[in-house]
Amino acid sequence: MDALQSIVHGAPLADEPGMGALTIPAYLREVTARYTTREALVMHTPGGVVRWSYETLWQRSVEVAKALIACGIGKDSRVGILMTNRPEYLSAVFGTAMAGGVSVGLSTFSTAIELEQLLAVSSISVLLFDGRVLKKDFGGVLAELEPQISSAAPGALRSPKFAFLRQLVRLDPVSGTADAPDTDASCFESWDEFLARGRGCPDALVEARAAAVMPSDAGGLFFSSGTTSLPKGILHAQRAFAIQWWRWPRVMAVKGSARAWTGNGFFWSGNITMVWGVALSTGGAVVLQPYFEAETALRLMESEQVNFLTGRPHQWARLQAAPNWATVDLSRLRYITNAPLLQTHPTVRTDWQLPMTFGTTETMTAATSYSSDTSAEQYAGSAGIPLPGNTLKIVDPLSGDVMPRGLRGEICIKGPTLMLGYIGKTVEETLDDEGYFRTGDGGYVDDIGRLYWEGRLTEIIKTGGANVSPLEVDAALALYPGILRAQTVGVPHETLGEIIVACIVPHDGVQLVEAEIHAFLRERLASFKVPRRFLILSADEMPVTGNGKVKSGELRQIASRRLTPNQ
C-alpha cells in the first residue's frame, strides 16, 4: 500500500483461488466437463417444464454458434439478444462467443425510442429477439422502426438506419398471452429456421473458433440504465465475464451447489455474472422466470428448491404481498441478497449475510469486497478491499489529486474486469492518465485499505455540515411494514444546505403515518440521518427507469416542488 495516500492494491489475480478458464467458451467447456449430466437450468412454462443438463447447454450453444457462423458472423461481430430470462438466452451468449462474436444485451423494458437508439449505436449484425413480452410486440416495434423489415428476405435486410443489421430471428413467447396476433414480417426467421442454417457447419470449425478466443477479446456489450442521460454502451472483455463467474461463489461463500433465481433480466451485468456464476460454477442450476410475478415466483422457489435469490427490496415487498406468502415453504433459502424482508417469513432461517461490495457496470459488478463469511469486525462497515488484480484510489473530484487516507473523494478503479471502454468514446475520454476509471462515486479509504462507499457524489446529502448516504436511510425504511418502495433524496434548504426527504410508495390499501415512521427510524439511525419530511407517492408518481431504478434527479425535483412552500 502506498504510504499516506489512498491508493490500495488487491492481491495478484494469479493468486485468487477458484479461478479457471478465462474466456466465455472455455468457461462453459470447463463447467460442462465437471458437471456433465447435472441440471444446469430449468424453466416452467404453460406447456411444461424445460430442463437442460450441462451437456445439453453445451450442445445448444454449439447449435447457436453454427447458425451464427452460417449467417456470416465473424470475429468481433455483434449479436443482439433481446430476450426475457429463458434457456435460449444462455445458449445465445455462449454460442455467440464460440462463433467469435460479441453478445449485446438489450433490455426488454426498452421503449421504441430507446430500442431505436440501442440498435443504431450497437452495430449488431444479427438480432435474436422475443416476439412478445407480455403486451409488447417487439416484431411490431421493429417493423415500425424500419419499414424495410416488412419486405426484406431473411438475412437480406439492408437498412441505412441500422447499417450493420442483416438478420432478425424471432422466438415464440415462453409465457403470457397475446391480446392480438404478433406482427409478421418476411424478414423474420423463426428460432428453428435459424438453427437449421447451421446444420451443415462442421463441429471442428466451432471448436477452432472457440479455441481462438482470447481473454482480452471483446466478450459482451451492456448498456447503462440511463438514469440521467441516454444509455452508455459498456464493452467488456471475455475475461471480465469469466473472472466474475468464477469469483462470485467465493465472495458469496457458497457451500455446495446453488439453485439460483432472479427476478431481473440478464441484460444487466450484475444478474448475468452473479446468477450464472453462483449456479454454474458450483454445479448448480439457473432457475428461470421470464418476468417477475410474485405469486408464481414463490411457487417456483418452493418447487425447485431454490437456495439463492438476488433481487431488490421492492420485489421482496411484492412477495410479501402475494396471496401465497403465508403458505409457501421457503426453508431451502440460504443466500438472499437484500435479505431482511424475506427473513420475516416463518420458514426462512438463515444467518448468511450479503457481502458488502462496491462495483459498477463498468467494472462488471464487484470491484471491492471481502467474502461473506468475513467477520463483522474485519468488515467494520466497509465495502471491503480491492478484489485480486484491482487497484483503487481516492482523488479530489475537481483536481484529480490523490487524497490522503481517511479523506473523502471520488473512487477510481482499474483492473482485469474494468471495461474495454465506452463505445463511441476514446480511451482518453474514458480513463484518466494512469488508466483508472473515475466512477463518480464518493468514499474514502481507511488506514488498512478498506473502502467506505458513500454513494454517488451527486446524491450524497449534505445537511447541517454532515454527509448522509441515502442508501443507509433507504435500507432502514425497507424494513418498515407497509412500505413497498422508498427513495431518500436531498432537497435544498436555506440554512441546512439540504434537508433529508424520504419519498415512499405504500402497499395498496395501506395508510402510513409520518410520525410512526419517524419514530421507527429514530430507533435505527442517528438523529441527523432521520428524514425531516416524508412524501407519500403512488407507484405511478415514482420516476423509474426500465430496470426499476429510481431516477433520483427527477425525484429530487418532484420533492423540491412539493415542499418548497412549507419547508
Side-chain angles (χ1 to χ4, degrees):
M1 300 178 186
D2 298 39
L4 301 179
Q5 289 189 318
S6 56
I7 300 176
V8 188
H9 303 280
L13 180 64
D15 294 345
E16 182 166 11
M19 282 291 124
L22 295 184
T23 69
I24 296 171
Y27 170 86
L28 182 59
R29 181 187 295 279
E30 189 164 334
V31 295
T32 299
R34 290 183 189 180
Y35 311 118
T36 311
T37 59
R38 289 193 193 179
E39 185 173 275
L41 64 82
V42 58
M43 183 181 69
H44 291 233
T45 73
V49 181
V50 177
R51 299 184 189 275
W52 287 3
S53 68
Y54 282 78
E55 179 62 32
T56 302
L57 175 57
W58 173 268
Q59 292 170 351
R60 296 290 181 269
S61 301
V62 169
E63 289 175 355
V64 172
K66 289 181 176 182
L68 290 172
I69 292 170
C71 290
I73 289 296
K75 185 72 170 178
D76 292 333
S77 296
R78 293 179 183 169
V79 178
I81 305 175
L82 179 63
M83 298 183 198
T84 56
N85 292 357
R86 56 188 295 168
E88 292 88 352
Y89 204 115
L90 282 78
S91 63
V93 169
F94 288 121
T96 296
M98 288 176 176
V102 178
S103 61
V104 181
L106 301 171
S107 172
T108 57
F109 294 107
S110 299
T111 64
I113 293 174
E114 291 169 335
L115 186 58
E116 181 176 25
Q117 191 256 343
L118 297 179
L119 292 174
V121 301
S122 63
S123 302
I124 62 172
S125 300
V126 176
L127 176 63
L128 313 175
F129 72 98
D130 260 317
R132 177 172 290 275
V133 178
L134 298 177
K135 295 184 178 181
K136 188 177 291 185
D137 174 8
F138 276 115
V141 172
L142 291 166
E144 289 181 7
L145 292 178
E146 174 49 83
Q148 292 188 34
I149 286 174
S150 298
S151 56
L157 179 65
R158 300 294 185 272
S159 167
K161 180 183 287 187
F162 309 126
F164 294 90
L165 183 59
R166 294 172 59 91
Q167 188 92 17
L168 294 96
V169 180
R170 183 175 64 183
L171 288 81
D172 292 332
V174 293
S175 60
T177 58
D179 294 331
D182 291 334
T183 301
D184 203 3
S186 58
C187 193
F188 299 157
E189 200 167 40
S190 73
W191 186 252
D192 288 342
E193 290 169 336
F194 166 67
L195 294 180
R197 282 178 173 265
R199 287 175 186 156
C201 178
D203 288 346
L205 181 55
V206 176
E207 294 281 353
R209 287 201 179 195
V213 176
M214 296 289 105
S216 58
D217 289 346
L221 179 63
F222 296 94
F223 287 92
S224 65
S225 57
T227 56
T228 58
S229 61
L230 290 174
K232 297 176 182 177
I234 300 166
L235 187 63
H236 274 292
Q238 294 273 330
R239 69 174 182 170
F241 286 80
I243 288 170
Q244 301 294 44
W245 282 336
W246 293 123
R247 172 178 283 163
W248 270 120
R250 179 186 67 80
V251 171
M252 294 286 194
V254 174
K255 311 300 181 187
S257 60
R259 295 182 67 81
W261 173 96
T262 184
N264 300 312
F266 294 144
F267 35 80
W268 295 311
S269 63
N271 301 312
I272 197 172
T273 56
M274 189 184 301
V275 175
W276 294 21
V278 164
L280 302 181
S281 296
T282 64
V286 180
V287 180
L288 298 163
Q289 186 176 17
Y291 60 92
F292 178 72
E293 193 281 318
E295 185 176 359
T296 303
L298 289 172
R299 290 199 300 268
L300 192 61
M301 292 170 197
E302 179 180 51
S303 65
E304 291 300 331
Q305 301 181 9
V306 170
N307 61 0
F308 178 93
L309 300 182
T310 182
R312 302 190 181 99
H314 73 277
Q315 292 173 320
W316 301 163
R318 292 189 185 278
L319 294 181
Q320 283 187 313
N324 56 338
W325 168 260
T327 57
V328 70
D329 180 3
L330 301 178
S331 58
R332 294 279 184 165
L333 292 181
R334 173 164 175 76
Y335 312 101
I336 312 170
T337 68
N338 303 305
L341 283 178
L342 282 186
Q343 287 176 329
T344 65
H345 193 278
T347 67
V348 174
R349 295 179 179 85
T350 176
D351 57 359
W352 182 83
Q353 295 293 321
L354 176 70
M356 293 174 278
T357 67
F358 168 75
T360 67
T361 302
E362 287 85 353
T363 61
M364 199 67 161
T365 67
T368 73
S369 188
Y370 287 121
S371 64
S372 67
D373 54 5
T374 301
S375 68
E377 291 76 18
Q378 185 172 348
Y379 254 118
S382 72
I385 59 175
L387 288 163
N390 290 338
T391 303
L392 74 83
K393 66 179 179 180
I394 308 295
V395 303
D396 181 289
L398 297 179
S399 69
D401 294 336
V402 178
M403 302 292 288
R405 300 264 176 126
L407 294 188
R408 291 169 171 81
E410 183 177 6
I411 302 168
C412 306
I413 291 282
K414 64 179 177 181
T417 66
L418 181 62
M419 63 179 175
L420 295 174
Y422 292 122
I423 57 173
K425 290 188 176 293
T426 61
V427 172
E428 56 268 27
E429 291 178 289
T430 306
L431 307 177
D432 71 10
D433 292 342
E434 297 176 326
Y436 286 88
F437 169 61
R438 296 184 60 164
T439 65
D441 288 273
Y444 65 94
V445 168
D446 69 8
D447 289 341
I448 64 172
R450 292 175 295 205
L451 173 66
Y452 288 80
W453 174 55
E454 297 183 321
R456 300 293 294 171
L457 287 171
T458 55
E459 294 175 7
I460 293 173
I461 302 169
K462 302 180 185 299
T463 181
N467 289 344
V468 176
S469 170
L471 300 173
E472 183 179 1
V473 183
D474 292 344
L477 283 166
L479 300 177
Y480 189 83
I483 291 181
L484 176 63
R485 168 165 235 153
Q487 183 84 13
T488 304
V489 296
V491 171
H493 189 273
E494 289 184 0
T495 58
L496 295 173
E498 290 180 299
I499 61 168
I500 304 170
V501 179
C503 303
I504 295 169
V505 177
H507 280 291
D508 291 342
V510 173
Q511 296 294 321
L512 297 175
V513 178
E514 180 173 333
E516 294 176 358
I517 303 175
H518 188 274
F520 177 85
L521 294 179
R522 284 295 297 266
E523 296 178 357
R524 291 161 174 81
L525 299 171
S527 59
F528 71 91
K529 298 179 181 179
V530 176
R532 286 181 172 247
R533 296 299 307 275
F534 297 84
L535 285 183
I536 308 300
L537 305 175
S538 69
D540 292 339
E541 291 176 309
M542 184 72 81
V544 296
T545 64
N547 70 351
K549 290 184 179 180
V550 175
K551 300 178 181 178
S552 55
E554 290 187 23
L555 185 60
R556 192 178 296 113
Q557 294 175 7
I558 292 171
S560 182
R561 287 195 298 267
R562 294 196 183 185
L563 296 177
T564 298
N566 51 9
Q567 285 182 359

